[in-house]
Amino acid sequence: MTKTVLVTGATAGFGAATARRFAGAGWNVIVTGRRADRLERLAEELGPERVHAAAFDIRDGAAIDAALASLPDRFRGIDALVNNAGLALGTKPAFEADLGQWRTMIDTNVTGLVTITYRLLPTLIERRGAIINISSIAATYPYTGGNVYGGTKAFVRQFSLGLRSDLHGKGVRVTSIEPGMAETEFTLVRTGGDKAASDTVYQGANPMTAEDIAETLFWVATLPPHLNVNTLEIMPVSQSFAGFQVHRGAG
Ligand code: NDP
Ligand code: 8X3
């Protein structure tokens, strides 16, 4: 039987690559995000019979409900939810950061993610499906300017583990994927469209690609049904850990 995956944030980066990976393997794919033109192009590319495009802002609970209510019949039985839509905004320390940006990250990465998860839980339980949440290494390793972004991703990780516990005995798999540096539009968004700054982050770093992450998500989703990857941290070889910072002197 053909399986169906819903991928949030499929207009770019990990989400678009994930939609391609699952569609290429014969899955039906529901692609979501705000940029309807990109979703339509993706559906055209992958085949409209296999891909349903649903444009909505994940921060808008009523829009999520409307999109789910208007799914065509053959896309209604969702076997996997990839909670990927998300963003970082800004790199400034807390005392210089923008409160509006903080709230946008929380509304998107936390409230949006839990809302769509809640709405899809009955279907996922009925179908013994899978929930794959995109967290980040920022959930575990703090860095200057990561403040609220890291906080949202720590929420995603802990929410995933909590879901695992709540879904005990239901046959639903839940995974927190925690990637490090991957070249997508992530830094372009974070810097407010600064292409040069984004290029500088990735230049010469041999970062992961969106396809690397898509392959990982596909692997997790297609493991034998008795296996659950709880958390999966993945980085490019070129990225590792730095030490603690020590301030000497007053303050
Ligand atoms: P991109 O910026 O390339 O893609 C982000 C996706 O999220 C887009 O499709 C965007 O769609 C969607 N999105 C953002 N805000 C909203 C919203 N309000 N409503 C609906 N969709 C939204 O970044 P990545 O592919 O890199 O990021 C995907 C996920 O991976 C994010 O959760 C990010 O935090 C996480 N991540 C990224 C890492 C990296 O290094 N790239 C590392 C670790 C985690 P649209 O703008 O059309 O709405
Ligand atoms: C994205 C990775 O290190 O920029 O989540 O926070 S990082």
Side-chain angles (χ1 to χ4, degrees), residues 45-218:
E45 173 195 327
L46 300 176
E49 68 295 337
R50 186 168 297 299
V51 176
H52 174 73
F56 59 84
D57 188 324
I58 196 91
R59 294 170 296 176
D60 181 345
I64 294 175
D65 290 350
L68 295 179
S70 59
L71 286 175
D73 281 348
R74 68 180 192 287
F75 290 92
R76 284 192 171 273
I78 294 170
D79 301 285
L81 166 64
V82 176
N83 272 319
N84 164 75
L87 77 176
L89 293 172
T91 53
K92 291 194 172 150
F95 48 88
E96 292 173 356
D98 180 309
L99 181 59
Q101 291 189 330
W102 279 9
R103 295 173 81 103
T104 301
M105 288 188 275
I106 294 166
D107 291 347
T108 310
N109 303 358
V110 175
T111 310
L113 182 146
V114 303
T115 304
I116 195 161
T117 303
Y118 183 83
R119 293 294 184 221
L120 289 177
L121 273 177
T123 311
L124 290 162
I125 290 171
E126 190 189 311
R127 299 177 75 88
R128 301 177 77 81
I131 302 170
I132 305 177
N133 294 327
I134 310 301
S135 173
S136 165
I137 54 163
T140 304
Y141 309 101
Y143 58 89
T144 306
N147 41 64
V148 166
Y149 177 68
T152 65
K153 292 303 182 178
F155 174 90
V156 172
R157 175 193 165 89
Q158 199 62 16
F159 178 58
S160 307
L161 296 173
L163 276 177
R164 271 282 280 144
S165 207
D166 287 355
L167 291 165
H168 184 73
K170 305 273 187 213
V172 178
R173 300 195 275 193
V174 188
T175 302
S176 171
I177 302 281
E178 298 158 16
M181 178 192 276
E183 185 167 4
T184 62
E185 294 177 14
F186 177 81
T187 304
L188 202 59
V189 171
R190 185 171 210 168
T191 58
D194 187 338
K195 173 92 169 60
S198 175
D199 288 347
T200 302
V201 167
Y202 303 119
Q203 205 165 28
N206 202 7
M208 294 187 291
T209 64
E211 289 71 28
D212 294 329
I213 300 302
E215 193 59 38
T216 305
L217 302 186
F218 186 75

Side-chain angles (χ1 to χ4, degrees), residues 224-247:
H226 65 290
L227 297 177
N228 193 97
V229 176
N230 297 334
T231 62
L232 195 158
E233 193 179 281
I234 180 168
M235 281 176 164
V237 173
S238 60
Q239 185 179 33
S240 65
F241 317 101
F244 292 106
Q245 51 187 346
V246 177
H247 175 72

